[in-house]
Amino acid sequence: MKILFSLLILCISYTLGAQNPDLPDDFLSKDFHKDRREQLRGILPTNSVAVFFANPVRNRANDVEYIYHQDPDFYYLTGYKEPDAVLFIFKDKQAAANGTMYNEILFVQPRNAMREMWTGRRLGEQGVKDVLGFEQAFNNTEFKKYKVDFSKFDKILFFDFMNDVRDNPRDSSDLYSMIVDFKTKVNYPDKNATTLAVEPQKNNLDTKGLASLMSKLRGIKTPEEIEMIKKAVAISCMGQVEVMKAIKPGMSEREIQGIHEFVFKKYQAEDLGYPSIVGAGHNGCILHYIDNYKPNVTSKELILMDLGAEYHGYTADITRTIPVNGKFSPEQKAIYELALKAQEAAMKICKPGIKRSVLTDTCRAVVNRGLIELGIAKPGEKHMYFPHGVSHHIGLDVHDRGDAMIEENNTIVIEPGIYIPDNAPCDKKWWGIAVRIEDDFLITKDGYEHLSKLAPRTVKDIEDLMKQSSIFENYSLPDIDKITQKKN
Ligand code: GLY
Ligand code: MN
Ligand code: MN
């Protein structure tokens, strides 16, 4: 009976297996990932190997884990979205014991009928060969006995371990165990240390070099990646547009967040690139305000909304700041237009060959001048009204890898902000005004393509759109407190 049951589980699981008909068909192709590995191999130092570990599973509470998110470098190079895996990319061909020559090898979690019934399908060794196109792929149970003479390499490049991976005591080939085995294989000096010692290395371990190599690659987006990013950006713009039409005084910050995220899901975005920031009034002054707990946004407030849909791993990063009642007050308008002017000034100079820090300097000069003209800051005064830089790359990470110098096919943001908290040393009519305007750009040969222009940005365009009716207009649910009281 037990054998019959196991066979049944095995059948169900294998039918649900690698070739999954329910999956979207617009993921990056295996050729994309293969090409990325080729490109990395091309820039690896002579006689080296690069090693990448999958992200760990993180515990949320008791027996519940956080939704798994693959390490972006690992995903970029493999397309593999499961945990407990390690990838080796060799500069030169290696000979396996059976004489096979190979220059990359992937170890993945094995198929397991019972586990798959609880936590979902796995590709397993055969799946990564069939679906992801790896020639050398093995179950991670084989990793311990994988033999390469690591002492022969001039460099073994990997990202250092922060000792923050939990051991699953029931799995002797999980990520934790593979890291332990890897440390032994490569002669990692102090196996219990949090990081490799900072003193000059006497061995061939290099935990610093991979970041800049990956930045070189990931900063320049391929046409396939640009397509993904454009989709993520368009979806995120639609969230902003729908909220501009739907928002009303009395809604909660969380409800407004929910409208954005509903739109993301409606367009099949799997995830958020980062926790959504929806801050009304002075909450907007908290740069990464993700509590979103204010129960009633009020008519006179601005609301700052910084949200990015993640589509097939790629994220947008867009901020719009709008008046809850649909009309900017004179003070709100003055601050908003100053932030917009700063953004426009940066956009004007944004092209290959400019450093991203120059975009920040440009915005800062405009904002500082404007704040003085408005009497909010004094000449020469150090203030905290604009405490961040304005540009970073976007891609698989919201703050993506990429170089400081802007190049063709970068995807970057420009995001000036002005934040005037309550009790700031200026006229109190300005207190609680927080504005950030953040747009996404694809860098072209001599300028940029403005990817997020679907979401209105000028005062007039925002106010005009906010007059339009919304699909959420007649959307109401019973008062939950009344329902629960009735039941009691
Ligand atoms: N949403 C994070 C940022 O704007 O950088
Ligand atoms: Mn940003
Ligand atoms: Mn943002």
Side-chain angles (χ1 to χ4, degrees):
M1 181 66 190
K2 210 169 159 192
I3 294 175
L4 213 64
F5 179 68
S6 300
L7 272 175
L8 181 69
I9 301 265
L10 204 71
C11 282
I12 294 171
S13 162
Y14 275 72
T15 337
L16 295 174
Q19 311 286 350
N20 180 359
D22 295 340
L23 283 177
D25 57 8
D26 60 342
F27 284 110
L28 292 168
S29 68
K30 59 185 173 191
D31 293 337
F32 165 84
H33 299 291
K34 186 171 194 295
D35 176 63
R36 297 295 89 198
R37 296 194 294 277
E38 287 300 337
Q39 296 297 324
L40 176 61
R41 187 172 296 111
I43 56 174
L44 282 180
T46 51
N47 191 29
S48 67
V49 53
V51 188
F52 296 86
F53 288 86
N55 256 351
V57 172
R58 298 278 183 210
N59 184 256
R60 183 174 183 274
N62 194 15
D63 56 355
V64 175
E65 320 294 8
Y66 280 102
I67 294 172
Y68 186 69
H69 193 273
Q70 187 56 280
D71 170 78
D73 287 321
F74 200 92
Y75 181 70
Y76 184 79
L77 295 166
T78 63
Y80 188 65
K81 296 196 281 283
E82 300 173 30
D84 296 320
V86 60
L87 168 73
F88 291 78
I89 298 181
F90 299 93
K91 179 76 175 178
D92 308 302
K93 291 263 187 209
Q94 307 295 308
N98 63 4
T100 311
M101 301 300 287
Y102 67 97
N103 58 11
E104 52 193 29
I105 187 166
L106 179 64
F107 293 86
V108 298
Q109 61 175 358
R111 302 287 314 267
N112 178 320
M114 191 57 100
R115 294 309 314 155
E116 288 182 55
M117 197 171 181
W118 284 95
T119 56
R121 300 175 173 94
R122 296 177 173 193
L123 282 177
E125 173 184 310
Q126 193 56 46
V128 293
K129 288 180 179 168
D130 297 343
V131 178
L132 301 178
F134 277 85
E135 285 171 20
Q136 289 287 305
F138 296 94
N139 287 331
N140 56 19
T141 43
E142 304 294 309
F143 182 62
K144 201 178 190 71
K145 54 180 194 267
Y146 172 57
K147 278 211 175 28
V148 168
D149 173 10
F150 283 100
S151 69
K152 73 179 182 187
F153 296 109
D154 290 341
K155 266 188 197 304
I156 303 170
L157 297 122
F158 59 100
F159 293 107
D160 214 347
F161 307 108
M162 308 310 279
N163 288 5
D164 63 348
V165 176
R166 271 194 191 183
D167 185 15
N168 175 357
R170 291 186 308 258
D171 185 349
S172 60
S173 53
D174 64 350
L175 182 67
Y176 181 93
S177 305
M178 284 197 289
I179 290 173
V180 170
D181 291 339
F182 175 76
K183 284 180 167 177
T184 305
K185 286 176 198 292
V186 301
N187 236 339
Y188 193 94
D190 179 352
K191 308 241 179 350
N192 297 316
T194 312
T195 60
L196 208 55
V198 276
E199 62 189 71
Q201 288 306 299
K202 296 189 191 72
N203 53 34
N204 58 358
L205 305 183
D206 180 343
T207 54
K208 300 280 178 268
L210 212 41
S212 66
L213 297 180
M214 290 308 294
S215 285
K216 283 247 158 317
L217 290 184
R218 281 180 51 193
I220 311 285
K221 269 54 182 187
T222 69
E224 298 95 319
E225 290 183 286
I226 290 168
E227 206 176 303
M228 292 294 171
I229 291 166
K230 283 187 173 175
K231 188 138 184 185
V233 171
I235 292 171
S236 309
C237 285
M238 293 313 289
Q240 296 283 0
V241 164
E242 286 310 318
V243 166
M244 286 185 198
K245 292 192 275 185
I247 194 169
K248 286 196 286 264
M251 281 181 167
S252 69
E253 289 174 341
R254 207 175 299 294
E255 183 177 3
I256 294 158
Q257 170 188 358
I259 296 174
H260 284 276
E261 293 178 11
F262 170 79
V263 173
F264 296 176
K265 293 273 187 287
K266 175 78 182 157
Y267 287 112
Q268 294 286 66
E270 295 93 335
D271 211 337
L272 306 169
Y274 51 94
S276 301
I277 298 165
V278 178
H282 62 178
N283 289 339
C285 294
I286 302 167
L287 301 180
H288 286 176
Y289 172 77
I290 57 174
D291 290 328
N292 306 344
Y293 50 41
K294 185 169 179 162
N296 298 295
V297 301
T298 65
S299 169
K300 299 239 163 79
E301 289 173 318
L302 288 180
I303 185 158
L304 185 159
M305 306 177 295
D306 181 346
L307 302 95
E310 184 181 296
Y311 188 81
H312 292 4
Y314 287 82
T315 189
D317 185 8
I318 299 172
T319 310
R320 289 292 180 266
T321 308
I322 63 174
V324 169
N325 65 10
K327 182 118 188 89
F328 287 85
S329 73
E331 287 76 21
Q332 291 168 346
K333 184 166 183 249
I335 299 298
Y336 188 89
E337 294 202 315
L338 180 53
L340 189 64
K341 190 170 162 192
Q343 194 193 36
E344 296 278 355
M347 286 162 66
K348 213 173 225 165
I349 58 162
C350 179
K351 61 177 182 196
I354 297 280
K355 274 194 167 167
R356 279 182 292 113
S357 59
V358 174
L359 302 181
T360 298
D361 298 342
T362 303
C363 287
R364 209 171 284 291
V366 173
V367 168
N368 284 345
R369 210 173 323 117
L371 290 176
I372 292 165
E373 280 163 17
L374 291 169
I376 296 171
K378 295 181 190 68
E381 181 193 21
K382 283 229 175 318
H383 62 75
M384 287 288 286
Y385 299 129
F386 181 10
H388 59 76
V390 304
S391 188
H392 56 80
H393 294 260
I394 53 169
L396 286 169
D397 280 302
V398 61
H399 294 171
D400 208 35
R401 291 193 189 281
D403 287 342
M405 185 72 82
I406 295 172
E407 291 174 84
E408 190 178 357
N409 292 325
N410 284 166
T411 45
I412 63 165
V413 306
I414 303 179
E415 53 168 326
I418 301 170
Y419 313 89
I420 310 178
D422 297 338
N423 299 316
C426 61
D427 191 318
K428 68 177 183 199
K429 68 180 181 180
W430 303 109
W431 290 359
I433 296 181
V435 171
R436 179 159 66 248
I437 309 172
E438 178 169 29
D439 280 82
D440 301 351
F441 302 89
L442 166 66
I443 304 300
T444 56
K445 196 156 167 286
D446 42 23
Y448 60 78
E449 183 181 338
H450 186 173
L451 301 181
S452 49
K453 63 172 183 245
L454 253 177
R457 212 164 50 99
T458 64
V459 164
K460 178 172 185 323
D461 288 350
I462 290 171
E463 289 183 348
D464 283 352
L465 181 64
M466 290 184 76
K467 288 185 193 126
Q468 288 189 21
S469 62
S470 157
I471 50 167
F472 294 98
E473 213 119 280
N474 299 316
Y475 173 81
S476 77
L477 292 171
D479 183 327
I480 204 76
D481 290 331
K482 284 203 184 122
I483 292 175
T484 46
Q485 274 155 21
K486 240 190 248 162
K487 275 198 179 145
N488 285 342

